[in-house]
Amino acid sequence: MKRVFTCVGFSMAVALFVLCFIKPEYILILTVGLAVLFAVSLALPKFRQAVVLPLSLASAVTACLLYVGFITLYVQPVQALDATTADCTFYATDIGAVTSNSKGYCVKVTHINGEKTNFKAYIYTDSRSNLRPYKEYNGMMRFFKIADDPMLSYGKFADKIYIAAYCKLTGENGKIINSPYRYIVDLRQSIRNKLLYIMSDDAGALSVALVTGDKSFLDKRIKRSFTYSGMSHIMAVSGLHLAVVVGSLLYALKKLTLKPWITNSVCIAATLVYMALAGFSGSVTRAGIMMIVMLLAGMFSMRGDTLNSLGIAVTAMCVSNPLCVTDIGTVLSVLAVLSLVTFYPHFSKRMFIKPDDPLSLKPKDKLYACIKKLVGSVFVSVCVVVYTLPIMYLFFGYTSVVGPVANIIAVPLGSICVVASLTVYLVSLLGITPITAVAVLVCEFFDTLLIKVCTFFAQAGNVVLGLDYRFGVLIAVALLVIAVGFAVGKNKSVRLALASAGIVCAVCFSVLLFNGRSDVVMRVFPDGAIVCTYDSKTVVCGVNTKGDYYKVKSYLQSNMLYVDFLVVDNSSSYCAMLSNDVAVNTLLCDEFDDTILSSADCQRLEVKSVYNVLLDDDYNLCYNQGGVTLYIKDFSISTYQNADFTVNSKSITDGTGCIKLKNGTVDYRISSRDSYKARRLNQWQK
């Protein structure tokens, strides 16, 4: 078996991913079941000789044991601090992020009430506080869990942060922690401060994001444009950035005609430094491990295998931290590389016929070569989209339609911006003003161009495709067809299966696109907020908590929805913030509050205790002292009285019974009172 690590790594990753969705009481049953299957595979000669099945099952059992051990030994002891207050000694491990009224830091807690300890936490301090990284401080911390479910930790569990706290600083003891990471943090802060100081606001913030992965200084409209255009991966420090940086260094060192082991050793060191500079995020760690494996293979005159290198990276990450699969960047990064290694080659070598004589290319051959490069660039993005769509469906419910086309321009342009940004920083250290000014002008030109390209594609019509429950059926059908082809094992069968899956997807997608346009789409969030859309008319109500505010904002922005009526219920502050983030035609409340007039985007404010308005021929909004009833077609949706669909802050009551909201967001697609579908959503990272 040539690709052992590929089999081991992906078996462990899939098992860990599934475990994150399973209730704890069923994990033992799953582990025992896999162990029994492993024993059976060893007992049967046919499977034992094939190696793949026993190895995959053994890897899955190992993953189960690692998961249980990690949760028991590391996660649960830290989360036992939930709802407690303690006097702590700690030091910050990063620069910190600024929010509206506080600062957030990732810290290492060294003492609790005088007793020595060692775990990571995320703390919120007063906005005036300024913690210096790797310097010890004292403070009173009030701890609270980040999440019970690893998948709802927004990537914190992948960073080994299982608890958060509100911290009131009580002093500093002046002790400096001698850690090599301190110098990396200083370098990251130096790059950030220098680029923000000598470059314009948007260009400087983009350069900081491209080099260090810190997107906190980017304007929200630019972040939104990158998301809508399918280009947000460019700002996530990963294989693209690492390949540009290390590739440029490798090219320069080869020009010096150094020995291969010296060149590769320097590049390995540079890879480790850049991984640390990017905070060892999941995507850059995956890329870094693969890069190091390839460089080591070159040092020993061995041929590197991309798929096996990916397997080594996945194995190392799963063993070191079984919860790494909860990081969306890691999952998407691995799937993107997997698509280029397994899916893309089947089509790229058959796209065009090779010329008869490569030394005397005809004009027709040159034209074919240009077309092939263009089509190949588009198909690269298509392959990545195909592999990542199930994850996008499962955790976000949308994807960008223009991404495959936009990335043809964005990827090479982003590579130029990365090199230009690093050049600006390095040149600025020389202190030669004219050279620095030229470097800044060049970098700002390309950064601005990238932002304009991103904005152009984001402003195109219908750039975001919402993925509802029907898309899950489409994915299942396509994967089933492909699985049958691979089970047969013949090349013709595989090609036929892939082609059939493509046809199935195209037909089903066309049907789903035009069917059900008259359906009502209602999304109900965990604390009772409702977003109801029918025939391009959207009503939002019940946004009274921080959690629902962020989820509703993300949903509206990602689906490019304009709010016709935003109903103010208990808390006007979250509605005011929401009207600043999305386009709102009318704010509706029963008493005047000037705090909700802060948005210039809101066209008008209606202050009435009782209000009725016809939004469309079959869409009527009735408002009565904070309660909302929507009459659509032949059914009703209400927040304060018995209706076909009654929603409160804890549950939904429909024709089938009661659905609890504490388990997550619920998505409805309603055709009539007696014809509707509901699915539970896991809202993951942004």
Side-chain angles (χ1 to χ4, degrees):
M1 185 177 179
K2 295 181 179 179
R3 292 168 170 167
V4 175
F5 283 105
T6 303
C7 182
V8 172
F10 283 97
S11 298
M12 293 183 69
V14 171
L16 291 172
F17 193 78
V18 172
L19 287 172
C20 291
F21 290 94
I22 295 178
K23 293 182 178 180
E25 54 266 28
Y26 298 128
I27 292 179
L28 179 60
I29 299 174
L30 178 63
T31 305
V32 173
L34 289 172
V36 171
L37 290 175
F38 171 62
V40 172
S41 68
L42 289 179
L44 298 176
K46 180 180 179 180
F47 294 114
R48 184 175 66 248
Q49 293 171 2
V51 180
V52 174
L53 183 60
L55 185 61
S56 298
L57 289 171
S59 302
V61 173
T62 303
C64 292
L65 296 176
L66 282 172
Y67 182 87
V68 173
F70 203 83
I71 294 293
T72 304
L73 297 176
Y74 297 101
V75 179
Q76 291 179 350
V78 173
Q79 290 201 330
L81 293 169
D82 181 44
T84 64
T85 302
D87 183 12
C88 302
T89 302
F90 62 93
Y91 61 89
T93 59
D94 63 7
I95 305 170
V98 179
T99 60
S100 57
N101 55 5
S102 65
K103 284 187 177 181
Y105 294 90
C106 177
V107 303
K108 184 69 71 70
V109 181
T110 59
H111 292 84
I112 294 181
N113 295 328
E115 295 184 6
K116 193 172 182 180
T117 186
N118 186 24
F119 64 88
K120 293 175 71 175
Y122 196 85
I123 67 168
Y124 298 92
T125 65
D126 187 89
S127 59
R128 294 169 295 180
S129 63
N130 188 19
L131 303 185
R132 182 180 172 185
Y134 291 93
K135 183 178 181 180
E136 280 197 344
Y137 294 86
N138 299 318
M140 293 297 298
M141 291 190 185
R142 179 161 54 89
F143 293 100
F144 61 93
K145 287 183 182 179
I146 291 176
D148 292 316
D149 185 348
M151 285 297 178
L152 298 179
S153 68
Y154 296 91
K156 288 289 194 295
F157 279 27
D159 294 331
K160 298 184 178 180
I161 301 175
Y162 316 120
I163 201 159
Y166 296 107
C167 179
K168 182 179 180 181
L169 294 177
T170 57
E172 58 180 77
N173 56 28
K175 182 180 178 181
I176 302 297
I177 305 299
N178 291 320
S179 170
Y181 293 116
R182 177 162 64 93
Y183 304 102
I184 297 296
V185 173
D186 290 341
L187 176 60
R188 188 186 302 142
Q189 189 169 11
S190 174
I191 293 173
R192 185 190 73 175
N193 294 343
K194 182 69 71 173
L195 293 178
L196 292 175
Y197 178 72
I198 64 178
M199 297 179 66
S200 61
D201 292 341
D202 289 344
L206 180 59
S207 289
V208 170
L210 291 173
V211 175
T212 67
D214 183 1
K215 298 182 283 290
S216 60
F217 295 94
L218 275 172
D219 189 273
K220 62 184 179 183
R221 60 181 174 80
I222 297 178
K223 291 182 184 179
R224 196 181 309 164
S225 296
F226 272 92
T227 300
Y228 290 166
S229 60
M231 294 158 55
S232 56
H233 65 93
I234 293 176
M235 295 188 298
V237 180
S238 59
L240 171 65
H241 305 73
L242 197 60
V244 170
V245 174
V246 178
S248 301
L249 179 61
L250 186 61
Y251 176 80
L253 292 174
K254 284 185 176 180
K255 289 295 183 181
L256 299 176
T257 63
L258 298 173
K259 292 182 179 180
W261 71 269
I262 297 177
T263 300
N264 288 13
S265 297
V266 173
C267 289
I268 289 173
T271 300
L272 292 171
V273 171
Y274 198 76
M275 289 168 64
L277 183 65
F280 288 103
S281 65
S283 56
V284 79
T285 300
R286 187 276 310 160
I289 294 175
M290 290 185 66
M291 182 76 71
I292 291 172
V293 171
M294 293 292 188
L295 291 170
L296 287 174
M299 290 175 65
F300 295 99
S301 301
M302 299 172 65
R303 190 180 69 174
D305 181 84
T306 305
L307 193 56
N308 213 36
S309 299
L310 180 61
I312 293 173
V314 173
T315 303
M317 294 174 69
C318 290
V319 171
S320 62
N321 181 10
L323 297 179
C324 68
V325 295
T326 63
D327 177 40
I328 185 66
T330 302
V331 176
L332 294 179
S333 176
V334 169
L335 289 177
V337 176
L338 187 64
S339 70
L340 300 180
V341 177
T342 60
F343 192 27
Y344 180 72
H346 283 285
F347 292 88
S348 62
K349 59 186 178 183
R350 296 183 177 88
M351 278 194 294
F352 291 96
I353 300 173
K354 295 180 180 179
D356 296 330
D357 186 0
L359 297 178
S360 58
L361 293 176
K362 300 177 182 179
K364 180 180 67 173
D365 296 328
K366 294 181 179 179
L367 178 61
Y368 279 173
C370 293
I371 296 175
K372 182 177 179 180
K373 289 181 179 178
L374 181 62
V375 174
S377 300
V378 175
F379 198 73
V380 165
S381 296
V382 171
C383 290
V384 173
V385 169
V386 169
Y387 270 55
T388 56
L389 266 180
I391 299 299
M392 299 299 291
Y393 160 73
L394 187 61
F395 295 107
F396 295 113
Y398 69 89
T399 189
S400 174
V401 177
V402 298
V405 178
N407 282 293
I408 298 175
I409 303 172
V411 170
L413 188 55
S415 302
I416 295 173
C417 291
V418 171
V419 175
S421 300
L422 283 172
T423 302
V424 167
Y425 174 71
L426 295 174
V427 168
S428 67
L429 298 178
L430 300 176
I432 305 175
T433 304
I435 298 178
T436 303
V438 172
V440 168
L441 286 175
V442 173
C443 186
E444 286 185 345
F445 170 78
F446 285 109
D447 282 353
T448 304
L449 182 60
L450 179 59
I451 292 173
K452 288 183 177 180
V453 169
C454 173
T455 304
F456 171 78
F457 282 102
Q459 290 177 346
N462 300 318
V463 298
V464 176
L465 174 66
L467 308 177
D468 59 18
Y469 66 94
R470 297 171 297 177
F471 190 79
V473 178
L474 173 60
I475 292 176
V477 172
L479 291 179
L480 181 62
V481 172
I482 294 173
V484 171
F486 277 97
V488 174
K490 297 180 180 179
N491 290 333
K492 289 185 178 180
S493 300
V494 173
R495 290 198 295 270
L496 180 62
L498 291 172
S500 302
I503 294 172
V504 169
C505 288
V507 173
C508 293
F509 177 75
S510 300
V511 173
L512 295 179
L513 185 64
F514 293 101
N515 184 32
R517 283 190 167 187
S518 60
D519 288 352
V520 178
V521 178
M522 180 175 70
R523 182 163 292 192
V524 185
F525 296 88
D527 293 325
I530 303 173
V531 178
C532 189
T533 301
Y534 171 65
D535 198 17
S536 302
K537 302 291 185 180
T538 300
V539 175
V540 179
C541 61
V543 185
N544 297 317
T545 66
K546 179 179 69 174
D548 273 4
Y549 157 72
Y550 283 115
K551 289 180 173 65
V552 169
K553 182 183 75 169
S554 177
Y555 174 66
L556 293 172
Q557 290 178 345
S558 62
N559 289 277
M560 299 193 74
L561 293 176
Y562 297 91
V563 181
D564 292 275
F565 278 86
L566 174 58
V567 180
V568 181
D569 189 2
N570 298 328
S571 174
S572 62
S573 56
Y574 292 115
C575 292
M577 287 193 296
L578 189 61
S579 64
N580 279 320
D581 296 319
V582 298
V584 178
N585 288 336
T586 304
L587 276 163
L588 182 59
C589 62
D590 57 3
E591 60 181 32
F592 183 78
D593 189 338
D594 57 2
T595 61
I596 61 178
L597 293 175
S598 59
S599 173
D601 295 332
C602 180
Q603 296 181 9
R604 65 180 186 272
L605 170 68
E606 293 283 351
V607 183
K608 295 182 178 180
S609 58
V610 179
Y611 190 78
N612 294 306
V613 61
L614 184 65
L615 297 177
D616 208 303
D617 292 339
D618 298 318
Y619 195 4
N620 193 41
L621 166 65
C622 297
Y623 172 81
N624 188 354
Q625 296 180 341
V628 176
T629 302
L630 300 172
Y631 295 97
I632 309 172
K633 297 181 180 180
D634 60 343
F635 61 90
S636 58
I637 301 168
S638 181
T639 62
Y640 72 103
Q641 65 181 22
N642 293 330
D644 297 308
F645 299 87
T646 304
V647 183
N648 56 46
S649 61
K650 296 182 179 179
S651 63
I652 309 169
T653 303
D654 58 25
T656 61
C658 184
I659 300 176
K660 299 294 183 182
L661 292 175
K662 66 179 182 179
N663 296 322
T665 301
V666 178
D667 199 36
Y668 274 88
R669 185 170 290 272
I670 311 167
S671 298
S672 65
R673 175 188 305 168
D674 302 317
S675 177
Y676 56 88
K677 298 285 186 179
R679 67 178 284 252
R680 182 80 66 180
L681 294 179
N682 284 321
Q683 288 295 322
W684 207 3
Q685 296 156 238
K686 300 174 184 177

